[in-house]
Amino acid sequence: MARWTLTISSLYLAVIGLALMFAPLKFGVGAVPADASPALLALLRLLGGPFLGIAALNALSRSAPAGDWLRAVLIANAIGFGAVALNDVHGVATGEARDLARVFVVVHLAFALAFLTALVRGRRPASAADA
């Protein structure tokens, strides 16, 4: 479970990071004005870097043996995706978010739950059913 979650999330985060860095106006359609200031575009590009870093961390962690280090990566991802999902829920519920946020609520909540599931499964001893 953890391996697939880390793999898929690393691809997802890499796409977002690259989109923020190389196409911030297209990525932010409906949220970023077409005449965005250079400072806003620079900020969006800057935010792409941590996304790429977390994508790399997740990709490198997917073959890590179970233990404290992998557990820390899973916890950090669960918190990150959970916080983003809560932000999406708030934006959709208040009407402040763009319509596309409804899709991202599902995506981000699914990642948060997948990371939590991987954490819970990592706590119990492996069985033949898990193999």
Side-chain angles (χ1 to χ4, degrees):
M1 174 78 183
R3 183 180 180 112
W4 282 106
T5 304
L6 288 164
T7 300
I8 295 167
S9 68
S10 69
L11 294 170
Y12 176 76
L13 293 168
V15 167
I16 289 178
L18 291 170
L20 281 167
M21 293 180 83
F22 296 109
L25 286 175
K26 289 188 187 237
F27 180 79
V29 167
V32 178
D35 63 344
S37 70
L40 176 57
L41 294 177
L43 178 62
L44 291 172
R45 287 186 177 108
L46 180 71
L47 292 174
F51 278 94
L52 291 176
I54 297 167
L57 177 69
N58 287 355
L60 295 169
S61 299
R62 63 190 173 172
S63 60
D68 291 339
W69 186 72
L70 179 60
R71 181 173 161 71
V73 171
L74 296 175
I75 290 170
N77 273 279
I79 290 169
F81 278 108
V84 171
L86 289 174
N87 186 55
D88 291 339
V89 168
H90 172 73
V92 169
T94 61
E96 295 173 357
R98 54 189 174 159
D99 290 338
L100 189 57
R102 286 179 169 75
V103 173
F104 288 114
V105 166
V106 175
V107 171
H108 296 143
L109 193 55
F111 274 123
L113 292 174
F115 279 110
L116 287 172
T117 301
L119 274 165
V120 170
R121 286 188 178 182
R123 283 188 170 169
R124 62 184 169 86
S127 66
D130 293 334

